[in-house]
Amino acid sequence: MSWYEEWFWSDAYTRVYDHRDDAEAEQLVDLIEHEIAPASGAHILDIGCGRGRHARALVRRGWQVTGLDLSEDAVAAARSRVADDDLDVRASFRVGDMRTPVCDGCADGVVNLFTSFGYFDADAENERALAAMATALRPGGWFLQDFLNAPQVAESLGASVYETEDGRTIHQDRWIEDGRVNKKITVRQNGHTETFQESVRLYTRSDLTAMYERVGLEVVALFGDYDGGNYVPDESPRLLLHAVRPT
């Protein structure tokens, strides 16, 4: 089993990233609304949608959303949450591999958020995933990818992080090797220990823009945070790329 299948399927994942919440999702969707301004009722694909926190925020703004994720548990959770919020009329979710196009030209916009990219060992497979996202866009459609800012990660990555709360201890060993940022995550609670891996290809801005060009996407703007701040290579916490599929 690949690391991302084991890790994203686990309850431990939600505990480690519980600070990535609905408020943060709304902040990122504010950026989409203000900077991209999709038309009312636009169809947006959320690739690597996880449990649907961004999808729910998108639907609340009046857009139609289709979410795709490899995790059956995550998709089930996303479906349940939009139903609980009475948002399921405008949202649907499916299980699938991001390397396979959802459709050909059916989407007004595609989002790929919270570093849901760079998981595969081979660059060709990561590019295949990006090509599938581009294929799903109609001509003139837009794309937003939220990724790590490689220079800032390389500068600031600490070797170890410890967190203790409510009897739960999370220990993360973190390092960069062979162009990937890696984590070994150990969760201890109630005398039980679980260990997981995380490994993401540390693509730079130039790596990604070259890849975009090869799959037929044109970058039109860069942002360095969820507030729409300018991208500063050594300082910005994130790298957000806004691109379009030319007509």
Side-chain angles (χ1 to χ4, degrees):
M1 180 181 289
S2 300
W3 69 264
Y4 46 84
E5 293 177 272
E6 183 178 11
W7 178 221
F8 295 143
W9 269 239
S10 70
D11 291 337
Y13 174 81
T14 60
R15 297 198 296 269
V16 169
Y17 288 109
D18 60 3
H19 58 295
R20 303 298 191 179
D21 56 13
D22 289 344
E24 183 190 70
E26 293 286 352
Q27 183 184 14
L28 182 47
V29 174
D30 282 343
L31 175 66
I32 293 171
E33 185 169 34
H34 296 155
E35 299 294 339
I36 300 176
S40 178
H43 180 208
I44 300 173
L45 299 183
D46 183 358
I47 304 299
C49 66
R51 291 160 176 79
R53 66 188 178 103
H54 294 103
R56 295 196 307 279
L58 291 164
V59 169
R60 290 189 193 102
R61 309 296 173 102
W63 302 311
Q64 301 283 333
V65 177
T66 300
L68 178 82
D69 202 276
L70 191 62
S71 167
E72 294 181 6
D73 289 345
V75 166
R79 288 171 177 158
S80 176
R81 290 172 182 177
V82 296
D84 289 345
D85 293 344
D86 294 324
L87 301 172
D88 48 325
V89 173
R90 296 196 305 274
S92 64
F93 299 91
R94 63 180 73 177
V95 176
D97 191 312
M98 66 171 61
R99 291 168 290 188
T100 301
V102 171
C103 59
D104 188 350
C106 73
D108 299 301
V110 174
V111 295
N112 178 239
L113 306 174
F114 192 42
T115 319
S116 299
F117 188 73
Y119 298 162
F120 306 114
D121 290 338
D123 288 339
E125 291 302 290
N126 291 315
E127 186 166 323
R128 180 182 163 198
L130 188 66
M133 298 181 220
T135 296
L137 279 174
R138 63 168 177 78
W142 58 270
F143 177 60
L144 184 74
Q145 186 169 44
D146 164 31
F147 197 66
L148 300 168
N149 178 20
Q152 191 271 343
V153 169
E155 179 69 24
S156 64
L157 187 71
S160 295
V161 175
Y162 290 89
E163 300 174 47
T164 301
E165 183 179 357
D166 298 329
R168 180 185 70 214
T169 300
I170 299 170
H171 176 208
Q172 298 184 44
D173 289 316
R174 309 190 297 186
W175 70 99
I176 296 172
E177 184 178 6
D178 296 330
R180 301 182 71 88
V181 58
N182 303 285
K183 297 180 183 178
K184 179 182 177 183
I185 303 147
T186 303
V187 181
R188 297 185 180 92
Q189 188 169 23
N190 299 325
H192 180 63
T193 300
E194 297 177 284
T195 301
F196 302 92
Q197 303 291 328
E198 190 173 294
S199 180
V200 175
R201 179 74 161 85
L202 201 55
Y203 289 119
T204 65
R205 175 183 63 176
S206 59
D207 292 332
L208 290 169
T209 54
M211 199 182 299
Y212 279 36
E213 184 175 350
R214 290 194 295 270
V215 303
L217 293 172
E218 178 184 340
V219 176
V220 296
L222 298 173
F223 306 103
D225 56 43
Y226 296 160
D227 289 324
N230 293 330
Y231 173 69
V232 181
D234 294 327
E235 299 177 11
S236 295
R238 305 295 295 174
L239 169 58
L240 293 102
L241 301 99
H242 172 204
V244 296
R245 180 181 177 183
T247 57

